[in-house]
């Protein structure tokens, strides 16, 4: 039976009482960032709630009230009180709340702590020290491999044995709504020419990557790997992520060390962080691997339902058109590796993870043509463009807007992330 709230929450809202994700907000009246929870069409300001004695019924949380005044979730995560906070707020917002005097029957306090989401400015939820992007989407890896190496050599020999990843750039991870400037770089316009001489140019193959990402909560010391059976305890929560990619710059630079400038110019994440507890009802089995891809013991998880059934979609709104179109529908269960596996592999050498570190999944593609998570796959590297409202696209043009969405469940039990959006700005002029 769905948990109900006394606060009106539209059916199908991604921010149901079953969710209650954390974020950082500000308003015109209160321009300093502070911790909030999303519920229905509103943000619940936990700093204002604390100042009004909202946590008076929880002796456990009272000593940590200062974390709600901080402009990032790092403090909340470091004290590992996110679950207790969510459960307490859930009880306060429940229709049959045991504490109606705190908020339900207190209209003055409601005016202080609730702000319509349209009136808040969302900020990057964590101070991100490090960012690693993985390549755990099996179907994406296969599709891209087919494009460049053929079906017989699509996957590298290591792919089914370990989660491949690269170190991204934390300084250009931005919150949803932040514009992305088209990058410039070296491009090889004719790969068949000799000698191979690049030009310096704005990116001509600007792409998206539909991803899920997690934030690290509990750190580990350098030299002390995270055991797979404990890895879930180190995950704070999940966001949607668009790892914008300059495919032509990438094609020239990636040998022999992999992506660099083709990835470091911008990565967009959704502002609300969904806790694993909210996604627990949507556990499912991930992709099955062949006998040739059996995992070594350190990556073998104790549970089989190591994936989430999160429906994902990509909407593209081309510049100059009146409306957008959903161009892809995928699902997070198409990942070959779980985030605990990624975290365990990341630390197996003794690498230290810190609170607020961000891990991306890699592009999540399904098996059908309308379920791929990048334009590279969708258009066969630009050879098969598509049309939206009379406008043709192979890759992104200036002024285009991309919006990622993700939800699990439905109705009053819907758990979602909100939009993960960005508009493309023209490249800088020489």
């Amino acid at each position: 039976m769905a948990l109900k709230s006394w606060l009106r929450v539209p059916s199908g809202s991604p921010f149901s009482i079953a969710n209650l994700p954390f974020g950082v907000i500000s308003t015109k009246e209160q321009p300093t960032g502070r911790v909030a929870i999303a519920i229905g069409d509103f943000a619940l300001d936990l700093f204002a709630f604390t100042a009004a004695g909202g946590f008076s019924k929880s002796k456990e949380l009272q000593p940590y009230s200062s974390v709600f005044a901080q402009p990032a979730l790092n403090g909340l995560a470091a004290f590992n009180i996110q679950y207790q906070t969510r459960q307490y707020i859930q009880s306060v917002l429940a229709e049959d709340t045991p504490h109606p005097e705190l908020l339900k029957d207190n209209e003055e306090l409601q005016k202080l702590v609730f702000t319509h989401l349209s009136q808040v400015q969302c900020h990057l939820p964590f101070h991100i020290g490090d960012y690693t992007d993985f390549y755990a989407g099996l179907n994406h890896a296969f599709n891209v491999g087919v494009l460049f190496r053929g079906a017989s050599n699509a996957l590298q020999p290591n792919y089914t044995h370990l989660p491949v990843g690269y170190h991204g750039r934390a300084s250009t991870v931005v919150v949803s709504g932040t514009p992305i400037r088209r990058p410039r770089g070296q491009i090889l316009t004719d790969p068949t020419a000799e000698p191979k001489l690049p030009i310096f140019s704005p990116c001509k193959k600007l792409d998206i990557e539909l991803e899920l990402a997690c934030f690290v909560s509990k750190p580990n010391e350098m030299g002390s790997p995270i055991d797979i059976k404990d890895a879930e305890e180190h995950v704070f929560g999940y966001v949607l992520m668009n790892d914008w990619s300059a495919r032509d710059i990438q094609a020239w630079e990636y040998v022999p060390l992999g992506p660099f400038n083709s990835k470091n110019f911008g990565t967009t994440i959704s502002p609300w962080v969904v806790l694993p507890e909210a996604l627990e009802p949507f556990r499912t089995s991930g992709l099955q691997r062949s006998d040739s891809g059996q995992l070594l013991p350190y990556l073998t998880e104790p549970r089989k339902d190591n994936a989430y059934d999160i429906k994902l979609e990509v909407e593209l709104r081309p510049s100059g058109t009146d409306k957008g179109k959903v161009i892809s529908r995928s699902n997070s269960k198409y990942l070959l590796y779980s985030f605990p596996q990624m975290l365990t592999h990341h630390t197996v050498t003794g690498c230290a993870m810190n609170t607020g570190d961000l891990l991306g999944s890699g592009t999540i593609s399904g098996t059908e043509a309308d379920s791929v998570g990048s334009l590279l796959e969708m258009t066969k590297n630009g050879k098969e463009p598509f049309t939206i409202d009379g406008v043709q696209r192979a890759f992104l043009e200036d002024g285009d807007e991309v919006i990622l969405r993700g939800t699990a469940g439905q109705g009053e039990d819907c758990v979602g992330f909100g939009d993960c959006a960005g508009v493309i700005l023209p490249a800088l002029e020489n």
Side-chain angles (χ1 to χ4, degrees):
M1 184 176 178
L3 182 65
K4 296 183 181 296
S5 174
W6 53 263
L7 181 71
R8 183 182 177 278
V9 177
S11 180
S13 167
F15 306 133
S16 67
I17 193 173
N19 190 0
L20 302 185
F22 288 90
V24 174
I25 65 163
S26 66
T27 61
K28 290 182 179 180
E29 295 75 22
Q30 298 289 337
T32 303
R34 56 209 183 274
V35 178
I37 276 180
I39 171 71
D41 294 330
F42 298 92
L44 195 169
D45 184 338
L46 291 181
F47 174 57
F49 184 68
T50 301
F55 286 99
S56 60
K57 303 299 181 180
S58 175
K59 293 181 179 180
E60 184 180 20
L61 293 173
Q62 285 178 29
Y64 305 104
S65 59
S66 62
V67 302
F68 302 119
Q70 298 177 9
L73 298 177
N74 297 65
L76 179 71
F79 285 121
N80 197 31
I81 57 170
Q82 61 271 22
Y83 290 111
Q84 297 96 316
T85 302
R86 175 181 176 271
Q87 290 164 8
Y88 180 79
I89 296 298
Q90 199 171 52
S91 73
V92 171
L93 292 172
E95 189 174 54
D96 58 351
T97 175
H99 311 298
E101 71 280 6
L102 291 182
L103 204 52
K104 182 180 180 180
D105 295 340
N106 191 336
E107 292 186 5
E108 288 302 313
L109 183 55
Q110 289 179 32
K111 293 176 183 178
L112 287 175
V113 303
F114 287 119
T115 304
H116 197 277
L117 289 173
S118 64
Q119 301 301 310
V120 304
Q121 174 70 46
C122 289
H123 301 271
L124 208 60
F126 277 86
H127 171 71
I128 304 171
D130 269 306
Y131 156 51
T132 300
D133 196 25
F134 284 90
Y135 196 49
L138 173 62
N139 298 320
H140 171 74
F142 179 79
N143 293 339
V144 173
V146 169
L147 279 175
F148 296 107
R149 294 186 298 275
S152 59
N153 296 306
L155 296 179
Q156 301 287 4
N158 65 347
Y159 188 81
T160 57
H161 294 275
L162 57 84
V164 176
Y166 74 93
H167 193 195
R169 186 68 185 171
S171 62
T172 45
V173 177
V174 295
V175 73
S176 176
T178 306
I180 300 295
R181 184 161 308 272
R182 181 179 298 274
R184 300 181 298 172
Q186 292 193 25
I187 297 171
L188 190 64
T189 56
D190 185 0
T192 64
E194 292 295 344
K196 290 179 169 41
L197 298 175
I199 64 170
F200 183 74
S201 168
C203 169
K204 301 178 188 301
K205 292 185 176 181
L206 187 55
D207 200 359
I208 61 170
E209 290 197 346
L210 171 62
E211 303 193 28
L212 199 63
C214 85
F215 279 105
V216 173
S217 179
K218 182 179 177 182
N220 66 298
E221 294 183 1
M222 182 177 175
S224 300
I226 297 174
D227 192 284
I228 188 65
K229 71 177 186 299
D230 303 319
E232 285 191 68
E233 300 174 11
H234 293 257
V235 175
F236 179 92
Y238 297 94
V239 292
L240 297 176
M241 188 172 92
N242 185 350
D243 188 33
W244 308 89
S245 300
R247 299 300 186 188
D248 41 6
I249 296 173
Q250 182 178 359
W252 174 238
E253 75 174 4
Y254 84 101
V255 178
L257 295 181
F260 184 47
N261 284 341
S262 58
K263 298 280 191 174
N264 69 10
F265 61 94
T267 300
T268 303
I269 63 171
S270 52
W272 298 101
V273 188
V274 178
L275 299 194
E277 187 176 59
L279 292 171
E280 191 63 25
F282 310 105
R283 286 274 189 176
T284 188
S285 298
L287 294 179
Q288 302 300 307
R289 60 188 69 243
S290 65
D291 291 340
S292 63
Q294 290 301 307
L295 291 173
L296 292 174
Y298 81 94
L299 283 174
T300 303
E301 293 183 275
R303 62 189 304 169
K304 300 301 181 184
D305 55 343
N306 65 343
Y308 296 114
D309 183 8
I310 303 171
K311 298 176 180 64
L312 306 169
E313 69 176 37
V314 180
E315 180 182 348
L316 174 58
R317 296 177 180 175
S319 175
T321 62
D322 295 330
K323 57 184 178 181
K325 179 182 179 181
V326 174
I327 58 174
S328 177
R329 288 185 171 87
S330 188
N331 195 296
S332 64
K333 66 184 178 183
Y334 295 135
L335 292 172
L336 186 62
Y337 296 95
S338 69
F339 281 93
Q341 287 174 318
M342 297 178 217
L343 192 53
T344 292
H345 182 68
H346 202 319
T347 66
V348 71
T349 57
C351 173
M353 306 298 293
N354 295 311
T355 301
D357 283 354
L358 180 68
L359 305 182
S361 65
T363 307
I364 306 174
S365 295
T367 56
E368 305 300 322
D370 61 354
S371 66
V372 296
S374 71
L375 299 178
L376 178 68
E377 299 165 84
M378 196 176 300
T379 68
K380 303 295 189 293
N381 196 19
K383 295 177 181 177
E384 300 178 10
F386 57 88
T387 301
I388 299 177
D389 199 21
V391 176
Q392 192 176 76
R393 285 290 183 270
F395 289 98
L396 298 175
E397 300 292 339
D398 296 344
D400 288 355
E401 182 178 16
V402 177
I403 306 169
L404 311 185
R405 299 186 182 92
T407 56
Q410 57 187 348
E412 295 177 344
D413 289 324
C414 187
V415 172
F417 300 83
D419 289 354
C420 176
V423 174
I424 304 302
L425 300 180
L428 293 174
E429 296 182 2
N430 290 331

